Amino acid sequence: MKWKVKVIVRLKEGLNDPEGRVIGNALKNLGFSVENLRVPKYFEFELESERPEEEVEEMCRKLLANPLIHEWEYSVEPVS
Amino acid sequence: MVKFAVVVFPGTNCDFETEMAIQKAGAEAERVWYKASLKDFDGVVLPGGFSYADYLRAGAIAARQEIMEEVRELARDGKPVLGICNGFQILTEAGLLPGALRPNKTPRFICRWVHLRVADTETPFTGLYEPGEVIRMPIAHAEGNYYVEDPSKVRVVFQYSDEKGNVTEEANPNGSLLNIAGISNGKGNVLGIMPHPERASDRFLGSEDGLRLFRSMVEYARR
């Protein structure tokens, strides 16, 4: 079966996100009252699998994230 | 004569300099494409550069290539394994060294000379330095901000310092925990270092301080 997968990988809370800080400051300079802007990584792909959740979890652990500094979430939907 | 492999991934760019530094330190060196084998080498160096263009995270994709299994074997056998800059990133991503190298505190590429304090002279890479000695090497990286959950468990080998050897916040270029510039595994035979010793291996480059790292490594491998 084929699935559409969406994965978000972000730095764990409390870890400094310098890219987010710079972008947040730029928005502030434009007059928006933005705080705590973070820049997660977003992946989307199609996956042929009988156990998609398990495989996506494994992908995150093995490559897409660095478990030491990242947390992740994902969604899996059948491709019609 | 002892012989070192200098591994070349797509995007590696400090391989020639590293090869020359090892030769100058008195050993044979050979640049080895990452699809080749590391059998018959007395040690391995993962040089700097931008493997796989730093896509995903610096070093992440290189760390998952097959050749890293052979690097792991060399490390297990007690042979010297040195990762410089991108090589350090690859070693942490591969789990051969603890911790992670995050984007610099100020998120931009930093390229300049820094001072380092040699914190541990008991490793195969630092035997020719004096304890607490201050040396000069250049850094050139965007992701050199060392992080680990429990820094007390890490074997710190080099720290960013001022020219007198004071480990201060001002002397920390990238936000690394404890000003860490280089660490080793518990045994000491795997070293990761963000600054570039190969770019400080000849007087005409501005410093010879990095050459002693290679000389120490070569002497150790000869034993």
Side-chain angles (χ1 to χ4, degrees), chain B residues 167-183:
Chain B
V167 177
T168 62
E169 206 178 319
E170 296 75 57
N172 188 345
N174 54 28
S176 287
L177 273 185
L178 304 176
N179 285 39
I180 284 172
I183 61 164

Side-chain angles (χ1 to χ4, degrees), chain A residues 15 19 25 31 45 48 54 56 63 65-66 72 78-79:
Chain A
L15 288 185
E19 191 182 352
N25 283 341
F45 51 91
E48 182 73 51
E54 237 174 278
V56 172
L63 179 67
N66 180 339
W72 55 86
V79 176

